[in-house]
Amino acid sequence: MRPWEANIRKVVPYVPGEQPKKERMIKLNTNENPYDPAPAVRRAARSFETGELRLYPDPSAAVLADALAERYGLDSDQVFVGVGSDDVLAMAFLTFFNSEKPILFPDISYSFYSVWADLYRIPYERPALDEEFRIRKEDYYKENGGVIFPNPNAPTSLAMEIGDVEDIIAHNQDVVVIVDEAYIDFGGESALGLLSKYENLLVVQTFSKSRSMAGMRIGYAMGNKTLIKALNDVKYSFNSYTMNQTSLCLGTEAVKAEDYFQEVIGKIKATRERSKERLSRLGFVYPEPSANFIFARHPGADARKLFEALKKEDIYVRYFDAPRIDQYLRITIGTDEQMDILFDFLERYLQR
Amino acid sequence: MRPWEANIRKVVPYVPGEQPKKERMIKLNTNENPYDPAPAVRRAARSFETGELRLYPDPSAAVLADALAERYGLDSDQVFVGVGSDDVLAMAFLTFFNSEKPILFPDISYSFYSVWADLYRIPYERPALDEEFRIRKEDYYKENGGVIFPNPNAPTSLAMEIGDVEDIIAHNQDVVVIVDEAYIDFGGESALGLLSKYENLLVVQTFSKSRSMAGMRIGYAMGNKTLIKALNDVKYSFNSYTMNQTSLCLGTEAVKAEDYFQEVIGKIKATRERSKERLSRLGFVYPEPSANFIFARHPGADARKLFEALKKEDIYVRYFDAPRIDQYLRITIGTDEQMDILFDFLERYLQR
């Protein structure tokens, strides 16, 4: 090792998920939306004024925060915008989780929570999901430095009743509670309705799933203005200009396209219902899905082998080689046509 | 204070620089480029395939890294891309400055170095510039945990001789040395030529100044592949998808538009020469500028008062209320027309 290498930060080498680019592939592995962004997004790109790019973007991302505030019936100072919900969540960890006590999040959940906690040296504990992959709310009633959980949860797709979500918040009014609602538009009830009641609640959502804009990197947090100001203060303190002008412009148009948004959600939910039936007929079992994916296993088929067999057909789903979930596949809801190709293969595969 | 506020991170409240939007204003306060991005950037926006936005972007930003590698005669694995050079520099601090020994950077320099060092708990020392605002290379010959300095420096606009840059690197082969070349396209010699000789050298540049794309947020680092891999490993470990698809697409076109790039640089340099002459005739003094700005003071005019007077005319320049530099104004090079309006006002102001 050369001397200058001694001070290089040690991290667990991580390989980003497969993003293969094949023409006929069926990509059901990263919970992307199978439908294009709203037509208004295309029009915005066509008329985007590139001359303005010579100027720095608005660091407060006001145009986009305003549009989101209007959409969700909030004030503009209740919305924080970031480069994907990963950026927003990491910023929230840095801003709100500065206690000596451990923060709490489920053992089976979004994998980056522990990564950000490690990065910022935040102690944490991970209460186990129950046998049916449900979050046990009572596990979150003990003393802690903050709470975060996704609703619906990933990779299970299970939603928690809003009453249970509120119970967790009600039992944790001395810390910040973050509800990560990346998939809420596909099912479950949002905690947004609780914002007026709990000042310590932060709700995080994203454009990557329901708004078909994973490629644009836009996430946002909603909460009382003290929380939002704290997020902005921390952001401004070390990197003021993160949202580029195209994100602000195209993102704003996406928020305004409400009818298109509802149409896409409706189509994906309908395909999810069809997919559930078809999977059940094939003998798969799965927790009741509320997100744009189904977390399924087949009692008669090894998950990893099935995953590999699908890949050979250029059908990509997600497999997690981790305790308790290594016999499951996470299958993103694609178009009806894509799902039919998947099911036709599964049928042949299971008959072998 | 409510209990949940106790764990909110304390930061120095920071107000981003003025980004006023007035129709007739002359904006010479944030070192933006007065000329539009290359015509190819506009064409790329017009034909941008918004349907692709439903997919996550390529986390390795390969298309853009490849274009930069080709432009600078490097291999693709020698280029790291980030959301503006602030993102790249912050990532480099996190990745390379993990020693117990202090890192070194000049006392008068880019203000975010100390911010990132504080954020990541990196000890630092700031050797003072000499009386003429020059970096004293000998100050960097002592034991340290890393070195970073801009060349040309900001806000002085002074470039260091490449021989002196090399002396600093040669004396610091056991740590990573970062040369922050945000303004190098406007003057001074890049340290890129030293990459083949020093494995511990990282050169950081940006699209915000010479490529007229501050609004797009693109920065990049160049170095040997061990350094670049370390940056990517750290990035992937906590936020894989940062560069959105529009940045990758429009940024790539900007890199390829070499003729336009040279034309813009030529115009700004010519305006800088005219501006130097005019400022000198008006009695201003300034360090020899190598960036797209001039750091000037007038022996007979208080800088803050002049700054305020200019603002009343809707002419925005930058004033720093800090020791040693509080009698200077940092004036970005605009178009000839903008500079003439500035100088005409200064002439009237000084005759009062």
Side-chain angles (χ1 to χ4, degrees):
Chain A
M1 192 165 77
R2 293 155 285 194
W4 51 266
E5 289 186 78
N7 293 331
I8 291 182
R9 190 177 185 87
K10 275 81 191 165
V11 292
V12 181
Y14 172 89
V15 181
E18 290 176 296
Q19 299 288 8
K21 299 267 176 203
K22 296 184 185 179
E23 247 181 63
R24 286 166 171 280
M25 66 175 286
I26 295 182
K27 192 168 180 311
L28 307 174
N29 67 335
T30 53
N31 297 343
E32 289 151 335
N33 196 310
Y35 302 106
D36 285 0
V41 171
R42 170 183 288 264
R43 289 194 295 271
R46 292 287 166 277
S47 60
F48 181 77
E49 189 37 77
T50 50
E52 291 292 305
L53 286 175
R54 67 179 192 81
L55 301 172
Y56 280 94
D58 169 17
S60 73
V63 61
L64 183 52
D66 289 352
L68 286 163
E70 185 169 333
R71 164 67 173 77
Y72 292 102
L74 302 169
D75 294 332
S76 293
D77 58 5
Q78 291 188 274
V79 182
F80 172 83
V81 176
V83 183
S85 60
D86 281 351
D87 179 45
V88 173
L89 290 166
M91 197 74 75
F93 271 56
L94 183 64
T95 304
F96 301 121
F97 294 159
N98 294 288
S99 167
E100 302 287 307
K101 297 172 197 156
I103 63 167
L104 306 177
F105 52 85
D107 66 335
I108 295 173
S109 188
Y110 187 43
S111 60
F112 272 92
Y113 297 160
S114 57
V115 169
W116 298 318
D118 288 336
L119 178 68
Y120 298 126
R121 308 179 201 185
I122 301 163
Y124 58 92
E125 283 176 20
R126 295 187 283 193
L129 298 182
D130 73 12
E131 290 304 305
E132 292 175 319
F133 289 151
R134 297 196 175 274
I135 291 173
R136 285 185 290 226
K137 61 182 178 184
E138 297 79 7
D139 291 344
Y140 297 81
Y141 294 174
K142 62 180 170 183
E143 213 179 18
N144 62 67
V147 173
I148 180 165
F149 57 89
N151 191 38
N153 197 5
T156 64
S157 203
L158 262 176
M160 198 190 284
E161 293 292 328
I162 190 69
D164 293 335
V165 171
E166 180 166 4
D167 281 343
I168 291 181
I169 302 165
H171 278 82
N172 287 284
Q173 296 191 51
D174 288 354
V175 297
V176 174
V177 178
I178 302 175
V179 185
D180 178 357
E181 299 189 337
Y183 300 101
I184 196 72
D185 295 322
F186 301 108
E189 188 177 337
S190 173
L192 275 179
L194 301 172
L195 282 185
S196 56
K197 204 166 162 187
Y198 299 98
E199 292 183 314
N200 60 320
L201 168 63
L202 193 76
V203 177
V204 176
Q205 298 188 358
T206 176
F207 282 53
S208 296
K209 317 295 180 184
S210 54
R211 295 192 188 276
S212 307
M213 290 178 84
M216 207 68 211
R217 317 309 307 123
I218 307 176
Y220 52 107
M222 297 171 286
N224 93 62
K225 63 183 186 179
T226 304
L227 295 181
I228 300 306
K229 183 179 182 304
L231 282 170
N232 271 314
D233 282 350
V234 170
K235 175 195 143 174
Y236 289 154
S237 78
F238 66 90
N239 191 356
S240 314
Y241 304 99
T242 57
M243 300 295 292
N244 68 25
Q245 289 180 12
T246 49
S247 295
L248 298 179
C249 170
L250 274 57
T252 300
E253 292 306 314
V255 176
K256 291 180 178 168
E258 185 64 23
D259 290 348
Y260 182 84
F261 171 74
Q262 297 297 350
E263 183 192 327
V264 165
I265 297 291
K267 284 199 282 191
I268 291 170
K269 282 180 167 179
T271 304
R272 186 177 66 202
E273 291 312 303
R274 284 186 67 234
S275 301
K276 279 165 57 182
E277 278 176 42
R278 191 90 191 254
L279 282 172
S280 295
R281 283 207 306 274
L282 288 167
F284 282 88
V285 292
Y286 44 83
E288 178 63 27
S290 287
N292 67 334
F293 55 90
I294 300 177
F295 195 54
R297 72 180 167 85
H298 195 286
D302 179 71
R304 184 196 286 271
K305 280 183 193 156
L306 178 49
F307 168 75
E308 297 293 346
L310 284 164
K311 207 154 120 175
K312 274 191 196 133
E313 299 288 310
D314 286 336
I315 300 173
Y316 288 79
V317 299
R318 189 75 183 268
Y319 173 73
F320 299 92
D321 189 7
R324 294 182 70 190
I325 58 173
D326 61 357
Q327 281 306 316
Y328 285 80
L329 295 178
R330 194 193 68 185
I331 304 165
T332 303
I333 304 297
T335 61
D336 281 331
E337 294 71 29
Q338 290 176 316
M339 300 313 279
D340 285 343
I341 295 171
L342 166 70
F343 296 131
D344 291 349
F345 172 79
L346 289 176
E347 197 161 308
R348 292 196 307 276
Y349 181 85
L350 294 166
Q351 280 167 356
R352 280 179 206 171
Chain B
M1 193 165 78
R2 293 156 286 194
W4 50 266
E5 290 186 78
N7 293 331
I8 292 183
R9 190 177 185 88
K10 275 80 191 166
V11 293
V12 181
Y14 172 90
V15 180
E18 291 177 295
Q19 298 287 9
K21 299 267 176 203
K22 296 184 185 179
E23 244 180 67
R24 286 167 171 280
M25 67 175 286
I26 295 181
K27 192 166 180 310
L28 307 174
N29 68 334
T30 52
N31 297 343
E32 289 151 333
N33 197 309
Y35 302 106
D36 285 0
V41 171
R42 168 183 289 263
R43 288 194 296 271
R46 293 289 166 275
S47 60
F48 180 78
E49 189 37 76
T50 50
E52 290 292 305
L53 286 175
R54 69 180 190 79
L55 301 172
Y56 280 93
D58 169 17
S60 73
V63 60
L64 182 52
D66 288 352
L68 286 163
E70 185 169 333
R71 164 67 173 77
Y72 291 103
L74 301 168
D75 294 332
S76 293
D77 58 4
Q78 291 187 277
V79 181
F80 173 83
V81 176
V83 182
S85 60
D86 281 350
D87 179 44
V88 174
L89 289 166
M91 198 73 76
F93 272 56
L94 183 63
T95 305
F96 301 121
F97 294 158
N98 294 289
S99 168
E100 303 287 304
K101 295 172 199 158
I103 63 167
L104 305 178
F105 51 85
D107 65 337
I108 296 173
S109 189
Y110 188 43
S111 59
F112 272 92
Y113 297 159
S114 56
V115 169
W116 298 319
D118 288 336
L119 177 68
Y120 298 126
R121 307 179 203 186
I122 301 163
Y124 58 91
E125 283 176 21
R126 294 188 283 194
L129 299 182
D130 74 12
E131 290 304 305
E132 292 174 319
F133 289 149
R134 297 195 173 274
I135 290 173
R136 284 185 292 224
K137 62 182 178 183
E138 296 80 8
D139 291 344
Y140 297 81
Y141 293 174
K142 61 179 167 184
E143 213 178 17
N144 63 67
V147 173
I148 180 166
F149 57 89
N151 190 38
N153 197 6
T156 63
S157 204
L158 260 176
M160 199 191 281
E161 293 291 329
I162 190 69
D164 293 335
V165 171
E166 180 167 5
D167 281 343
I168 291 181
I169 303 165
H171 278 82
N172 287 284
Q173 296 190 52
D174 288 354
V175 296
V176 173
V177 177
I178 302 175
V179 185
D180 177 358
E181 297 189 338
Y183 299 102
I184 197 72
D185 294 323
F186 302 109
E189 187 177 337
S190 172
L192 275 178
L194 301 172
L195 282 185
S196 55
K197 203 167 164 187
Y198 300 98
E199 293 183 313
N200 60 320
L201 169 63
L202 192 77
V203 176
V204 176
Q205 298 188 359
T206 177
F207 281 54
S208 297
K209 317 296 181 185
S210 53
R211 294 192 190 276
S212 308
M213 289 178 85
M216 207 69 210
R217 317 308 307 125
I218 307 174
Y220 52 107
M222 297 171 285
N224 93 62
K225 62 183 185 178
T226 304
L227 294 181
I228 300 305
K229 182 177 183 306
L231 281 170
N232 271 314
D233 283 350
V234 170
K235 175 195 143 172
Y236 289 152
S237 77
F238 66 90
N239 191 355
S240 313
Y241 303 100
T242 58
M243 300 295 293
N244 68 24
Q245 288 181 11
T246 49
S247 294
L248 298 179
C249 170
L250 275 56
T252 300
E253 291 307 314
V255 176
K256 290 180 179 169
E258 185 66 23
D259 290 349
Y260 182 83
F261 171 74
Q262 296 296 350
E263 183 192 326
V264 164
I265 298 290
K267 284 200 281 192
I268 291 170
K269 283 181 167 177
T271 304
R272 184 176 68 201
E273 291 311 304
R274 283 186 66 232
S275 301
K276 280 166 56 182
E277 277 177 41
R278 190 90 192 256
L279 282 172
S280 295
R281 283 208 306 274
L282 288 167
F284 282 87
V285 291
Y286 46 82
E288 178 63 26
S290 286
N292 68 334
F293 56 89
I294 300 177
F295 196 54
R297 73 178 166 86
H298 194 286
D302 179 72
R304 183 195 288 268
K305 281 183 192 157
L306 178 48
F307 168 74
E308 297 294 346
L310 284 164
K311 206 153 124 178
K312 275 192 195 132
E313 300 287 310
D314 286 334
I315 301 172
Y316 288 79
V317 299
R318 189 77 183 268
Y319 173 73
F320 298 92
D321 189 8
R324 293 183 71 188
I325 58 174
D326 61 357
Q327 281 307 314
Y328 284 81
L329 295 178
R330 193 193 69 185
I331 305 165
T332 304
I333 303 297
T335 62
D336 281 331
E337 295 69 30
Q338 291 176 316
M339 300 313 277
D340 284 343
I341 295 171
L342 166 71
F343 296 132
D344 290 349
F345 172 79
L346 290 176
E347 197 161 309
R348 291 196 306 277
Y349 180 86
L350 294 166
Q351 279 167 358
R352 280 177 204 170

